[in-house]
Structure formats: C-alpha cells, structure tokens
Amino acid sequence: MARPEKNVLSVLLVEGPTEAIFYGRIKDRYLNDVACKIETIEGLFNVNNKVLHALKTRNTDRPVRAYCCLDRETRYAKTPGFDLKYIRKELGDTKNVLSVDQIIATQMIESWFFHDIMGIYRHLRVPKAKRNLKAYSPVERFRVEDLKSLF
C-alpha cells in the first residue's frame, strides 16, 4: 500500500447511515494509517449540489482528497444524477480540494442483508411454514424498501 500523504485528509462522502457504518468498518480495517473522515450527504436527491456544498464549505486549510461513495439504485444503472465531471468542473481550483473520485457500489448495500434471509426470518420469528427463501433471490434485485417492508 502507498504511504499516506502528510497532512492530507481523505473524506468519504456517503449516502446515509447504513453506508456510514459500512465504510466506517472499511476505514477501521484498511485505512487506519490514513487521516480519514466519513460524512453523510443524506441520500441521492440533488447529489451533485450536496457533494459540492460539502467540499466548498470545509472549514479547514488542510488539503482534501474526496471520495463519493454511492450505490447504484439498480444492478445495471448508473447512480441517478451523479456527475463527476460536473463536480470537478464546478470545484475548479478550489483551494484545498486536491481530487474528487467515485466509489460506486454495484449493489445497494442493504441488498446484502438478503444473503442472510434465514437470519432475518429468525429475528422476525416468522414460522418456518411461512418462510419463502426463493422470494429474495437474486439479492441484487432488492432495495432498502424491500428490507423495510419485512420489518
């Protein structure tokens, strides 16, 4: 792994609380020698402006490398409304932002919970006769709304 840059802060801009937990664990496990902060942008609505606001209103002289950690909303689609070229252009020569890159999850993180549908059924105390294991396959098709509907 490359040596961390001195005094540079890596900022992970994530969609919401689930992603903050997920990327927090990645940070703790793999980025413990890197100055790194996780910030939530609260969803994809108006995503470009949220990213620009988060980066332009930074209250520090410390140089920043930003990573936009976003989900695709479906398995094959792009992240709705996200435009990395536009963000880079709008930032232009913003004093402290060294770079902006994207980390796109090819599945919604919440869909991964469906890999443990038996554990979800047990937690919800669904009778075995009413459990339909094939109903949530393939897991990539399912979104946070599907997970919420189980609870």
Side-chain angles (χ1 to χ4, degrees):
M1 189 157 119
R3 180 177 298 189
E5 297 173 277
K6 290 188 184 226
N7 200 35
V8 174
L9 177 65
S10 293
V11 176
L12 304 180
L13 299 171
V14 301
E15 283 182 57
T18 304
E19 290 82 7
I21 293 168
F22 174 79
Y23 285 104
R25 294 212 175 162
I26 297 291
K27 174 185 167 272
D28 293 345
R29 175 106 187 230
Y30 300 105
L31 303 173
N32 57 5
D33 59 341
V34 175
C36 183
K37 182 176 182 183
I38 297 173
E39 296 180 11
T40 303
I41 61 170
E42 302 301 331
L44 290 176
F45 174 74
N46 212 4
V47 65
N48 296 323
N49 287 336
K50 289 178 181 180
V51 168
L52 288 169
H53 178 74
L55 296 175
K56 285 183 174 183
T57 60
R58 298 208 59 79
N59 215 3
T60 180
D61 288 331
R62 194 171 188 182
V64 170
R65 292 198 183 280
Y67 301 91
C68 303
C69 305
L70 307 170
D71 293 342
R72 291 182 188 168
E73 292 304 304
T74 63
R75 186 173 183 188
Y76 299 105
K78 294 180 179 178
T79 303
F82 181 68
D83 188 344
L84 185 61
K85 287 181 185 178
Y86 169 78
I87 291 168
R88 287 176 175 162
K89 180 183 170 204
E90 288 297 310
L91 285 171
D93 293 329
T94 302
K95 182 173 129 183
N96 296 324
V97 180
L98 300 177
S99 65
V100 180
D101 290 295
Q102 61 185 347
I103 299 173
I104 303 296
T106 59
Q107 297 175 10
M108 290 183 75
I109 290 173
E110 292 85 355
S111 71
W112 297 352
F113 287 104
F114 288 100
H115 283 289
D116 186 27
I117 190 63
M118 281 302 294
I120 293 171
Y121 280 142
R122 275 193 304 274
H123 175 76
L124 296 173
R125 296 186 176 136
V126 174
K128 287 185 181 181
K130 292 188 177 186
R131 296 177 185 183
N132 183 354
L133 302 181
K134 293 181 183 177
Y136 297 101
S137 180
V139 298
E140 304 82 39
R141 286 187 12 219
F142 298 95
R143 304 171 40 150
V144 66
E145 290 80 11
D146 301 305
L147 187 60
K148 287 179 183 177
S149 71
L150 288 172
F151 291 86

